[in-house]
Amino acid sequence: MARVIKNKELVNTKLATNYGGWMYCEKCNKNIGYLCYVTYDELKFNYECNCGSKGSIFLDFEDSQEGCNCDKELVTIKNRLCCSFDESPLITILDKNLKKYKLEITCKSCNKTYKKEVK
């Protein structure tokens, strides 16, 4: 069943579908990552693309629960950043196409909010 989006704010960014799939910088059209459809509950993503464009994504859903901060790191499995508790794939970031980024993502199954910043 499709989820109902509560907030969807895209700045200089395109998504392949309504709330998941491939993510693109709107200025240079480079692929910057992949957002898994069903495993995240909320996403805050700010980035600077190699082309110089600054973009952001904020997404959450009508049924989103407030996440609780997690001190653990996201686990990397086959280029995907995954939940450290159940290894649910959450997002893939294509670092090679970004100068820097700040990520905050909440896992739908365990409600843990992960934070990652690359400068």
Side-chain angles (χ1 to χ4, degrees), residues 31 61 100 104 118:
N31 185 337
F61 302 92
K100 60 184 177 179
E104 192 173 313
V118 174

Side-chain angles (χ1 to χ4, degrees), residues 42-106:
E42 181 179 88
L43 171 70
K44 294 177 184 173
F45 182 59
N46 295 288
Y47 67 91
E48 184 175 350
C49 182
N50 286 339
C51 74
S53 178
K54 293 181 180 179
S56 64
I57 302 172
F58 172 59
L59 289 166
D60 68 353
F61 302 92
E62 292 290 339
D63 63 348
S64 289
Q65 303 294 314
E66 186 171 338
C68 51
N69 286 332
C70 181
D71 294 335
K72 292 187 176 188
E73 301 265 331
L74 289 158
V75 178
T76 302
I77 302 173
K78 294 184 180 178
N79 86 341
R80 292 187 184 119
L81 297 175
C82 303
C83 175
S84 63
F85 290 93
D86 64 5
E87 297 186 347
S88 297
L90 299 171
I91 192 168
T92 299
I93 305 293
L94 296 178
D95 297 73
K96 67 180 184 180
N97 292 337
L98 298 176
K99 289 181 181 177
K100 60 184 177 179
Y101 67 86
K102 186 174 182 180
L103 170 69
E104 192 173 313
I105 192 164
T106 303

Side-chain angles (χ1 to χ4, degrees), residues 8-26:
K8 180 178 181 179
E9 298 170 16
L10 303 175
V11 176
N12 297 325
T13 308
K14 294 185 291 188
L15 284 176
T17 63
N18 196 23
Y19 56 84
W22 294 108
M23 305 180 299
Y24 299 92
C25 169
E26 203 165 53

